[in-house]
Amino acid sequence: LDEAAGKSDGSSARSFPEVLGKDKACDSQGSSAPSPTSRSSRTSRTSSLCISVPEDLLKSLERASDKQQTSRAWARIGQFHQRQKCFEKARQAYQQAVSLDATQHGCLANLAQLEAHAGNVSTAKEMLAAALLLDPSNKNYISFSKWLANGSA
């Protein structure tokens, strides 16, 4: 999950733990994500505020010469959208990244965060389990998994 995922945005007393991988393009960018219970009007309000993807991200997608590079470009686009709180666009970009490169454990963890945010805890657990299979020693994924098991049940 993005690096600021553990920070509260003030919308709820509950916040996601910080979950970061260090190996893939989905990792390392900041995003503040509200808890699964603070979804209400935020989704429709923020979707109309989404801005266009920066030119440099679009160019990296155009320059990609193989599936892994294309996957990393989609991952960065997902990070951009997640930072902008355009969660549906972020979800679509991460899904595209994973469809091109199934080893994108950071994207799977970010998808888990987005699913948990949307209230889809079961799906979030599945996504995070897939990320943990790819990076079983990732302490942040383990922490988020515990949070999902204890804090959202």
Side-chain angles (χ1 to χ4, degrees):
L1 295 167
D2 285 340
E3 72 186 16
K7 298 178 185 172
S8 173
D9 68 354
S11 63
S12 171
R14 293 177 57 190
S15 63
F16 292 107
E18 184 176 312
V19 179
L20 279 178
K22 298 297 181 197
D23 300 332
K24 297 289 182 178
C26 280
D27 311 324
S28 81
Q29 299 300 318
S31 168
S32 180
S35 75
T37 58
S38 65
R39 183 166 155 40
S40 63
S41 63
R42 179 176 306 259
T43 302
S44 60
R45 184 169 47 98
T46 58
S47 63
S48 63
L49 301 176
C50 294
I51 60 174
S52 297
V53 176
E55 190 67 28
D56 62 320
L57 292 179
L58 294 175
K59 286 185 179 180
S60 70
L61 189 59
E62 291 171 8
R63 285 191 307 264
S65 61
D66 61 27
K67 282 186 174 186
Q68 282 189 323
Q69 287 180 358
T70 305
S71 177
R72 285 188 217 111
W74 276 112
R76 287 188 294 275
I77 291 169
Q79 291 170 336
F80 169 79
H81 286 306
Q82 192 169 3
R83 283 191 308 273
Q84 300 301 314
K85 297 185 180 181
C86 299
F87 300 124
E88 186 54 38
K89 288 184 178 184
R91 179 182 287 110
Q92 291 169 358
Y94 291 142
Q95 288 170 338
Q96 185 67 30
V98 171
S99 74
L100 291 165
D101 180 1
T103 67
Q104 287 278 3
H105 60 84
C107 289
L108 290 166
N110 285 346
L111 281 166
Q113 180 190 25
L114 293 171
E115 291 300 330
H117 171 261
N120 303 322
V121 176
S122 176
T123 303
K125 288 177 181 179
E126 291 173 19
M127 295 284 192
L128 194 56
L132 276 164
L133 283 174
L134 294 167
D135 189 5
S137 63
N138 187 305
K139 292 176 184 173
N140 295 307
Y141 297 173
I142 294 166
S143 175
F144 185 43
S145 181
K146 288 177 184 176
W147 183 88
L148 281 173
N150 298 324
S152 62

